C-alpha cells in the first residue's frame, strides 16, 4: 500500500523530471528512483546510499532562514534498503565523518520542502575535512552563481573505489563512499556548459575545490552513469569532454 508521501512523490513526477534534471535524469544504474519537489535521487539498496541526486538551484530556492538538521529515515524507501538515525551513532568519534548532505540544505532553505533534505537517503558519512572544506566551498560557489543571476542544475553522487570503513553502530550491511562527484550544469536557451569535480574522502579541509575539476566524461567513466542522457550527440564532446566550462563562473581562475 502506498503511503501519502509516496502518492505525493508520484504526483510530483512529471514536474520533478523537468525541474530537477536537465537533459533527463542520469541512467546507468537500476536503483529505486524517488522524485520530489526539490530533488530526484536513485537509491541503492546494496550500499544504502543514493547513486545520484539531481537538483535545480534558483534564486527562489536560496537565501532562506537557517534550517535545522533533524535526521529521519526516508519514509518512501523500505527500511531494509536505507539507514536510520541510530546507524550513525559514534560515526564522528570513530570515523571522523559528518552526516553529509548530497543535496545541500542551504541551497533549498527558502523552500517549503527543505526538511526532505534531512532524509537519510540524501545523506552519506562524509569525512569532516571534506564536508567542511572543499565540498562546502563548491556548494557555496554554486549558490554564488545563482545569486549572480544564473540558475544551475547539479548532479552529485558517490564513488566506490577504495575501502573507507564502516559505520560502527549500523545494523545493516552498507558501503561508505570513497569519494564523490559533482557536475554543475547551465542551460541558457540550449547553450549548455558544465564543470565536473571529483573529491576524495581523504581531502584536507584547506584543499581548493578548483583543483579537483575533471571532465564529465571522467565522472561517467568512474561512476557508470550517463549524466545527461538526452544531450544531443553533437554537443557531447564540447560539454562533456572538455575542462573549464563553468570554472570561471564558479570563481576558479
Amino acid at each position: 500500500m502506498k503511503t501519502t508521501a509516496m502518492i505525493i512523490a508520484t504526483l510530483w513526477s512529471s514536474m520533478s523530471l523537468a525541474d530537477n534534471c536537465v537533459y533527463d535524469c542520469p541512467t546507468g544504474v537500476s536503483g529505486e528512483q524517488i522524485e520530489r519537489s526539490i530533488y530526484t535521487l536513485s537509491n541503492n539498496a546494496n550500499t544504502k546510499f543514493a547513486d545520484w541526486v539531481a537538483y535545480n538551484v534558483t534564486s527562489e530556492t536560496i537565501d532562506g532562514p537557517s534550517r535545522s538538521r533533524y535526521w529521519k529515515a526516508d519514509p518512501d524507501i523500505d527500511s531494509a534498503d536505507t539507514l536510520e538515525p541510530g546507524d550513525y551513532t559514534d560515526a564522528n568519534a570513530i570515523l571522523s565523518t559528518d552526516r553529509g548532505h548530497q543535496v545541500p540544505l542551504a541551497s533549498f532553505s527558502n523552500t517549503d520542502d527543505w526538511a526532505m533534505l534531512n532524509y537519510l537517503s540524501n545523506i552519506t558519512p562524509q569525512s569532516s575535512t571534506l564536508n567542511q572544506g572543499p565540498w562546502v566551498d563548491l556548494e557555496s560557489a554554486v549558490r554564488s552563481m545563482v545569486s549572480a543571476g544564473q540558475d544551475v542544475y547539479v548532479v552529485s553522487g558517490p564513488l566506490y573505489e577504495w575501502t573507507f570503513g564502516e559505520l560502527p553502530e549500523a545494523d545493516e550491511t552498507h558501503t561508505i563512499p570513497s569519494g564523490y562527484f559533482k557536475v554543475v550544469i547551465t542551460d541558457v536557451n540550449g547553450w549548455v556548459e558544465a564543470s565536473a569535480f571529483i573529491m576524495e574522502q581523504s581531502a584536507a579541509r584547506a584543499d581548493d575545490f578548483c583543483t579537483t575539476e575533471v571532465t564529465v566524461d571522467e565522472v561517467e567513466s568512474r561512476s557508470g552513469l550517463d549524466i545527461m542522457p538526452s544531450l544531443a550527440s553533437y554537443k557531447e564532446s564540447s560539454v562533456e569532454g572538455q575542462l573549464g566550462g563553468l570554472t570561471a563562473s564558479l570563481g576558479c581562475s
Side-chain angles (χ1 to χ4, degrees):
M1 180 179 294
K2 288 188 175 182
T3 65
T4 300
M6 290 174 71
I7 293 171
I8 292 172
T10 301
L11 291 174
W12 271 106
S13 175
S14 61
M15 183 177 296
S16 296
L17 285 172
D19 289 352
N20 298 328
C21 301
V22 60
Y23 296 101
D24 291 333
C25 289
T27 59
V29 294
S30 56
E32 179 182 1
Q33 187 163 305
I34 304 294
E35 297 161 357
R36 297 193 165 108
S37 59
I38 53 177
Y39 65 89
T40 303
L41 64 79
S42 178
N43 185 68
N44 187 315
N46 294 318
T47 66
K48 305 300 187 291
F49 306 114
D51 282 321
W52 57 262
V53 298
Y55 54 100
N56 180 202
V57 188
T58 73
S59 59
E60 287 76 30
T61 68
I62 62 173
D63 296 332
S66 178
R67 299 298 190 178
S68 301
R69 289 165 168 77
Y70 293 113
W71 315 112
K72 183 179 179 181
D74 194 315
D76 296 330
I77 298 176
D78 188 281
S79 60
D81 298 337
T82 187
L83 298 184
E84 295 80 38
D87 293 322
Y88 281 84
T89 301
D90 294 332
N92 180 265
I94 295 174
L95 295 177
S96 298
T97 57
D98 297 336
R99 295 172 183 83
H101 290 83
Q102 292 212 59
V103 183
L105 191 57
S107 294
F108 293 92
S109 61
N110 198 43
T111 67
D112 292 336
D113 293 335
W114 62 269
M116 293 179 177
L117 297 170
N118 291 329
Y119 291 163
L120 291 180
S121 56
N122 181 48
I123 303 298
T124 69
Q126 195 169 47
S127 69
S128 298
T129 52
L130 171 60
N131 184 47
Q132 300 174 32
W135 192 255
V136 73
D137 291 342
L138 175 53
E139 292 172 341
S140 296
V142 168
R143 288 192 294 277
S144 293
M145 278 187 65
V146 174
S147 294
Q150 177 60 65
D151 289 357
V152 174
Y153 291 90
V154 181
V155 178
S156 187
L159 296 173
Y160 300 94
E161 298 177 323
W162 47 274
T163 301
F164 179 82
E166 294 184 354
L167 292 167
E169 298 297 327
D171 57 4
E172 297 97 350
T173 301
H174 61 280
T175 305
I176 297 179
S178 62
Y180 300 86
F181 67 84
K182 193 178 291 291
V183 181
V184 183
I185 308 160
T186 60
D187 179 12
V188 181
N189 299 321
W191 180 261
V192 185
E193 294 183 291
S195 282
F197 303 84
I198 289 178
M199 302 184 204
E200 302 292 335
Q201 290 272 41
S202 55
R205 190 185 301 266
D207 285 355
D208 182 358
F209 77 84
C210 296
T211 66
T212 69
E213 186 184 10
V214 297
T215 64
V216 178
D217 281 345
E218 181 169 341
V219 167
E220 293 183 332
S221 176
R222 292 169 66 173
S223 68
L225 297 172
D226 186 348
I227 299 295
M228 292 179 280
S230 66
L231 181 68
S233 58
Y234 72 88
K235 295 183 179 181
E236 288 183 355
S237 61
S238 60
V239 174
E240 299 186 343
Q242 307 287 334
L243 294 173
L246 293 172
T247 47
S249 297
L250 290 166
C252 302
S253 57

